[in-house]
Amino acid sequence: MLRTRRGPARTLWAALALALTAGAVGPATGAAAAAGASAAAGKLTVYVSAADGDDANSGGRKDPFRTISAARDALAGRTSAEARGTVLIRGGTYVLDDTVELKGAANSWVTYAPYRNEKVTITGSHELPAEGWKKLTDLSEETLAQPQYSSHSRLNTSELREGVWVYDLGAQGIDPGTLYKNGFNWVQDPFAPELVVGGDTQVLAEYPNGNSCATTETDCHLWGTGDKWDAEGPRDLMNVDLDARFGLQDDWNSSGTTPRAQFEDKKQQLDDPGQRDTWSPQEMRRMTPQIFTVGGRAAAGDRYKSWAPEAVPTVDDLGTRGFGEYADVPVQLDPRWIEDIDNTKDETEGWLLGYFGNNYANDMVRILSWSEDRLYTKYPSMYIPQDAWTKVKVLNVLSEMDTAGEYYIDRYDDNDVLYYRPEGGTIEGKDTTLQTFDKNFFLLDGTQGVTLRGLTMTGSLVSGVQLLDAVGTLVDAVDISNVSMDAVRIGRTTDTITTMPDYETLQGGHDNIVQNSYLHDLGGGGVLLGGGDRATLERGDNVARHNEIARFSKLATYTPAGYLYGVGNSFEYNYVHDAPHMAVQIMGNDMRVNHNHFYDVVKNAGDMGAVYAGRDFTYLGNEVAYNHFEKIGGSNDALYMDDGASGVRFHHNVVNGSNSGVNLNSGHSNTANDNVFIGVKHVGHGGIYHKKGETRLPLDNSWVLQSRFNSFLDVREGEKYSATPETVAAWHGHYTNGRATYSDGKPIVYPQVERWYVPRVTATGEECTAANYATAGTNGCSRATVWDDADSLYVPSGVEIDHTVVVGGGSGFVETTEAFTEPAAEYKLSRWSEKVNTRAVAAASVAETGLDLDTLKFSASGAVARAYGAAWVAEWNRNVTAEGIGRP
């Protein structure tokens, strides 16, 4: 990892600023060089004006540059911490054809801001002037006979044609963009171009319409059985021959017949080491796609026949790449594209988008064709498709463009025509843009002390602002919207999936701040806060605070308002609302998620939490405190610690309207103390690894869990992911010396960290498997070693659920229980932890507790004050507040 050594003045960075740039960096040349020379010897303020500037000017207030990149070049190499530069941008719209790139020391120590608070909009979107729009019903037969309009006849009723407007993108030289396969755990490509009207992103033609449905409501999606959603699925799309085409569901992790089974973490038990590596994305994209039997609403009136041409697709490659008993299952079924489509009547580029093999991660597959009652697709879904999970939309189908606000781009045979049904039936008087820009607005690479302040940015198919190895950046009071990925990314992630041991963030820099900003209407997430070094536990100290982050994750799942990756980054005082998926994801150590208001999130997913961390025993020292969780959707949780995630401190939170508060799924040293739960089904729940039976070894996901543990806390020879003695010593010291603290000053310590272990066979040092396990024995894999010792990583020890206030009849933490035999034993959390469901207060109403939901303060006379005492109430009221959350 490329790192920038920090100097001693750490507090200086928090006050420093963030920069915007464009074009290439390095010494200024040509007009920019002349401008730099005349921009005043020693004068470090330059001006930009899109209206009357010229890049050949001097950059003075009366003779400004035209572009931000020219201003950047004029200051290049002239600024420092002692002599900061300023770029003042006059009001107007600045359309980018390339990224504004700031690089290294030459472009450091500069502030980019509007002149006197004038409105500055930086965009990658192309305006669609009013004169280019034509009403479809006003076009002559001669015009409609032109090749580019050949698809118009798919709007084959007067109702579908009335109120539709068209724009010939090809004639105007505007790139129509491309629809790529995107989805959870696939390497991301730019998303589909988006039409923006009056500042609002419009809807790509879809069926069913609408996005207002709660998790289990069926109107907004096509469904299978709905069983895994606790919904009454109308059986619109049902998978064909799952067992024959993919193998038995119980074996899908080991069958090799799905893309997820071709990642190395699922292949470590294969006899041939040469088969244990992950397939390439190209190989996985050729794997078995889905075939559906059509029913329900999809079949009504033969609706599905309008989504694709009629044909049984041709398959040339009947590959047999499965494992073991599935070696003969044809898992490389890459159907040909359908040729000779009559686009006057058949759709040419329809997709299915949604949930196929689970209820927590979305995917996309292309609709290829139909025949009889079958619907054929191209591209696999990541997980094994199952009727119980299916919940999808049909996307990008012109004949479904039946609702105001929907649009469609006809790319077939280079037609490049945009169709749109505007609100009110007219485009007149409306500002319209098409978003096809597939670059960052700003890229800061190796800069120091750059400030981006007060700027509006909109219209990119990727992320808005990208920081790599940047230090002391300040992004302040910006407005970023209509980007298809994330608003701001501090650092980058490795090109692998989150379930892999080598997934991490790089180039996060340190002491970067995103604050006071409005990040909204995002295909992906809000702020990715990478930074810090997990090997040494050096902090990144990157912060997102006092922001409003709204309507995000519109195109992709696992794209939260705040990603916390690495070590020592913070997400605090943010107002986060209106999203179908998680709000915060923690993948690292010593993070803070404090003083936020999470409202109406996780609306359209399952098996998820508003704050989520998963699949790593070593994500330690994380704090989730002083937050207000309100209206968490579906059967989801406020906090979800998945698959062994450990070491979180969840305290002084108000959870108001959620299925449950905390899901502590088999991790150790997780504490949920001093919290209020209102209107929950139960305070929390959580699995234990014992639940699958005494002999179930290795555990689900064991290779990932063990490898991540070995990366930092266990020195072992010959493993792909291994710690060094120096790493282990650093971790032991960090988590026992008490120097690192939570926000309230309490030390972050795990005194038992030096004793934690993965159960292994004594003679070989290999992880215990079912073949090694014995109820009693001395081989290192006995019940006492694997399941009873509190220092075994398979034992969820050190868990606390204490000082819990429950309002409205919900139950406490539900302990999963597993009974073993020979000899008999019962396993649940309280077997290893003394504080589970201790010192709880139950109340019928919020008023009875003494809590004021407007201020989040307790009175001195309610049920909580009587139960816990004045000192507890004083501590709560001192730390918990509803003030300062969101934008100033």
Side-chain angles (χ1 to χ4, degrees):
M1 175 166 57
L2 180 62
R3 300 184 57 75
T4 305
R5 185 174 298 279
R6 62 191 76 185
R10 283 292 297 273
T11 56
L12 173 64
W13 296 116
L16 293 178
L18 194 169
L20 296 170
T21 72
V25 271
T29 59
S38 63
K43 187 172 182 180
L44 298 178
T45 298
V46 295
Y47 297 79
V48 179
S49 174
D52 57 1
D54 191 314
D55 285 352
N57 286 345
S58 70
R61 187 166 62 85
K62 295 183 178 180
D63 51 349
F65 297 124
R66 183 178 63 84
T67 65
I68 298 168
S69 58
R72 172 205 61 203
D73 292 344
L75 294 176
R78 301 173 57 211
T79 56
S80 66
E82 293 74 30
R84 292 187 58 84
T86 304
V87 175
L88 294 177
I89 308 170
R90 298 302 304 263
T93 298
Y94 295 76
V95 180
L96 299 182
D97 292 315
D98 203 352
T99 300
V100 177
E101 185 176 345
L102 305 173
K103 192 165 185 177
N107 298 140
S108 294
W109 307 106
V110 180
T111 294
Y112 294 78
Y115 173 78
R116 295 186 177 179
N117 296 319
E118 293 178 355
K119 177 68 178 293
V120 173
T121 299
I122 298 166
T123 182
S125 297
H126 289 272
E127 290 188 11
L128 303 180
E131 58 269 20
W133 286 100
K134 308 296 181 185
K135 194 172 183 180
L136 181 62
T137 52
D138 288 346
L139 296 182
S140 67
E141 291 187 11
E142 181 181 4
T143 299
L144 291 175
Q146 295 174 11
Q148 68 267 35
Y149 293 111
S150 56
S151 296
H152 79 89
S153 55
R154 301 207 301 264
L155 296 169
N156 57 9
T157 67
S158 58
E159 290 80 10
L160 285 174
R161 297 174 69 82
E162 187 61 38
V164 171
W165 292 67
V166 294
Y167 197 101
D168 190 341
L169 300 172
Q172 300 299 320
I174 298 174
D175 184 354
T178 303
L179 275 170
Y180 296 99
K181 175 176 175 56
N182 274 309
F184 178 66
N185 281 341
W186 296 99
V187 176
Q188 280 193 335
D189 285 306
F191 283 87
E194 294 188 324
L195 179 67
V196 179
V197 178
D200 294 326
T201 304
Q202 304 302 287
V203 177
L204 196 59
E206 65 181 13
Y207 178 79
N209 295 316
N211 287 292
S212 61
C213 295
T215 309
T216 59
E217 294 173 339
T218 58
D219 286 353
C220 297
H221 297 85
L222 298 174
W223 290 69
T225 65
D227 291 351
K228 292 296 185 179
W229 298 82
D230 293 326
E232 187 65 35
R235 297 175 178 264
D236 302 306
L237 298 174
M238 300 291 288
N239 284 278
V240 172
D241 298 331
L242 281 178
D243 291 351
R245 302 176 72 237
F246 296 97
L248 298 178
Q249 180 178 338
D250 287 346
D251 296 337
W252 77 269
N253 277 339
S254 56
S255 67
T257 61
T258 65
R260 184 64 189 88
Q262 288 291 350
F263 282 92
E264 59 185 315
D265 62 318
K266 300 299 185 185
K267 300 165 71 173
Q268 294 310 298
Q269 304 304 313
L270 295 180
D271 293 333
D272 181 0
Q275 291 187 335
R276 294 176 187 168
D277 291 335
T278 300
W279 271 15
S280 71
Q282 291 75 23
E283 285 182 294
M284 288 193 284
R285 285 174 189 259
R286 291 197 301 269
M287 294 181 72
T288 309
Q290 286 167 267
I291 302 173
F292 293 104
T293 298
V294 181
R297 292 167 295 176
D302 288 337
R303 187 167 207 134
Y304 68 100
K305 294 182 180 180
S306 68
W307 300 339
E310 181 180 11
V312 176
T314 300
V315 178
D316 298 314
D317 179 6
L318 293 173
T320 53
R321 298 289 294 274
F323 307 139
E325 64 183 288
Y326 297 109
D328 294 331
V329 174
V331 302
Q332 280 194 286
L333 293 163
D334 187 22
R336 294 186 196 174
W337 296 109
I338 304 301
E339 302 293 340
D340 302 321
I341 297 175
D342 180 357
N343 72 305
T344 65
K345 65 176 184 178
D346 294 329
E347 293 292 338
T348 60
E349 199 182 7
W351 292 76
L352 295 176
L353 170 67
Y355 301 91
F356 296 95
N358 57 58
N359 59 352
Y360 52 84
N362 70 356
D363 210 338
M364 289 177 68
V365 298
R366 180 83 173 261
I367 302 175
L368 202 57
S369 63
W370 63 271
S371 179
E372 298 181 344
D373 64 346
R374 298 289 172 88
L375 190 68
Y376 296 91
T377 69
K378 187 176 178 69
Y379 303 130
S381 57
M382 178 59 67
Y383 295 85
I384 191 167
Q386 299 174 68
D387 298 326
W389 304 108
T390 300
K391 177 183 176 182
V392 299
K393 282 182 176 290
V394 176
L395 203 66
N396 199 50
V397 170
L398 177 59
S399 59
E400 295 291 358
M401 200 183 77
D402 57 0
T403 301
E406 289 188 300
Y407 70 98
Y408 171 83
I409 299 174
D410 178 21
R411 302 178 184 85
Y412 185 75
D413 202 23
D414 297 323
N415 288 340
D416 297 348
V417 170
L418 168 64
Y419 293 79
Y420 175 51
R421 182 180 296 279
E423 293 282 353
T426 183
I427 201 72
E428 294 172 358
K430 298 177 181 178
D431 294 328
T432 61
T433 60
L434 186 66
Q435 178 176 309
T436 61
F437 184 67
D438 59 359
K439 300 177 182 179
N440 307 124
F441 303 122
F442 299 97
L443 169 62
L444 283 64
D445 187 351
T447 56
Q448 297 184 47
V450 172
T451 294
L452 303 179
R453 176 176 285 124
L455 304 169
T456 295
M457 295 171 250
T458 185
S460 173
L461 302 181
V462 294
S463 294
V465 176
Q466 173 74 70
L467 278 63
L468 298 174
D469 295 307
V471 175
T473 306
L474 178 64
V475 180
D476 183 35
V478 302
D479 183 318
I480 300 178
S481 67
N482 298 322
V483 299
S484 297
M485 294 185 184
D486 305 320
V488 181
R489 292 177 68 87
I490 301 174
R492 64 178 180 84
T493 59
T494 48
D495 289 332
T496 184
I497 63 174
T498 57
T499 53
M500 301 305 295
D502 48 351
Y503 181 85
E504 60 178 334
T505 49
L506 306 171
Q507 298 183 268
H510 59 84
D511 296 284
N512 301 295
I513 298 171
V514 179
Q515 67 178 22
N516 305 328
S517 295
Y518 186 31
L519 313 176
H520 59 104
D521 298 287
L522 309 167
V527 184
L528 188 150
L529 293 157
D533 187 336
R534 291 198 72 212
T536 64
L537 293 171
E538 184 178 9
R539 296 175 61 85
D541 285 320
N542 295 315
V543 180
R545 66 190 182 198
H546 300 295
N547 303 293
E548 181 178 357
I549 306 175
R551 297 178 299 282
F552 53 94
S553 295
K554 294 170 67 174
L555 298 176
T557 51
Y558 287 82
T559 54
Y563 309 75
L564 292 168
Y565 293 173
V567 182
N569 303 306
S570 299
F571 188 83
E572 57 191 23
Y573 290 99
N574 300 292
Y575 176 38
V576 177
H577 61 95
D578 295 293
H581 212 255
M582 68 169 74
V584 173
Q585 183 176 32
I586 300 172
M587 297 190 72
N589 297 62
D590 299 354
M591 309 292 194
R592 293 181 182 176
V593 182
N594 294 352
H595 294 289
N596 303 287
H597 186 184
F598 302 111
Y599 178 81
D600 203 17
V601 295
V602 206
K603 296 196 292 185
N604 198 23
D607 196 19
M608 184 48 58
V611 177
Y612 175 89
R615 313 192 82 181
D616 199 323
F617 293 122
T618 66
Y619 290 164
L620 305 175
N622 297 309
E623 179 181 31
V624 181
Y626 318 123
N627 301 289
H628 187 185
F629 296 87
E630 187 177 11
K631 197 177 179 184
I632 309 302
S635 58
N636 297 296
D637 312 286
L639 171 71
Y640 193 142
M641 300 291 288
D642 198 10
D643 282 347
S646 303
V648 72
R649 184 177 172 220
F650 184 86
H651 67 98
H652 294 90
N653 298 285
V654 175
V655 179
N656 183 5
S658 178
N659 180 66
S660 74
V662 295
N663 183 356
L664 307 180
N665 187 10
S666 303
H668 57 85
S669 301
N670 291 314
T671 64
N673 299 333
D674 306 303
N675 299 291
V676 177
F677 300 93
I678 303 168
V680 298
K681 182 179 179 181
H682 40 247
V683 164
H685 59 111
I688 54 178
Y689 286 129
H690 313 70
K691 70 182 180 181
K692 293 190 175 178
E694 185 167 14
T695 61
R696 183 64 177 266
L697 289 170
L699 304 172
D700 286 351
N701 310 315
S702 61
W703 186 72
V704 172
L705 297 169
Q706 293 162 4
S707 296
R708 288 177 170 176
F709 180 77
N710 297 342
S711 295
F712 302 109
L713 286 168
D714 195 356
V715 179
R716 303 192 62 75
E717 297 275 336
E719 295 195 2
K720 181 176 180 182
Y721 308 97
S722 58
T724 65
E726 292 77 16
T727 300
V728 174
W731 277 60
H732 287 175
H734 181 86
Y735 286 118
T736 58
N737 62 29
R739 294 173 191 161
T741 63
Y742 296 106
S743 61
D744 59 0
K746 182 178 179 178
I748 302 174
V749 292
Y750 301 94
Q752 67 276 41
V753 67
E754 297 178 1
R755 303 189 304 271
W756 285 336
Y757 66 90
V758 174
R760 302 181 187 278
V761 180
T762 304
T764 65
E766 299 295 323
E767 289 85 1
C768 296
T769 68
N772 308 126
Y773 179 76
T775 302
T778 58
N779 67 344
C781 299
S782 66
R783 179 192 288 181
T785 302
V786 175
W787 302 125
D788 286 339
D789 189 332
D791 294 324
S792 166
L793 288 189
Y794 299 160
V795 169
S797 58
V799 174
E800 295 182 4
I801 301 98
D802 187 45
H803 275 116
T804 298
V805 180
V806 185
V807 181
S811 65
F813 190 93
V814 178
E815 294 191 74
T816 299
T817 301
E818 183 68 29
F820 284 178
T821 59
E822 298 179 359
E826 184 177 80
Y827 289 83
K828 57 183 179 180
L829 278 183
S830 51
R831 181 183 180 94
W832 308 280
S833 304
E834 296 179 355
K835 295 182 179 180
V836 177
N837 290 328
T838 51
R839 294 183 289 185
V841 171
S845 67
V846 174
E848 183 182 331
T849 68
L851 178 67
D852 184 338
L853 282 176
D854 290 332
T855 65
L856 300 183
K857 305 292 186 183
F858 276 105
S859 72
S861 58
V864 169
R866 292 192 297 272
Y868 295 156
W872 188 97
V873 169
E875 180 186 7
W876 177 286
N877 289 346
R878 182 169 56 251
N879 290 306
V880 182
T881 180
E883 297 180 358
I885 295 175
R887 290 179 289 166

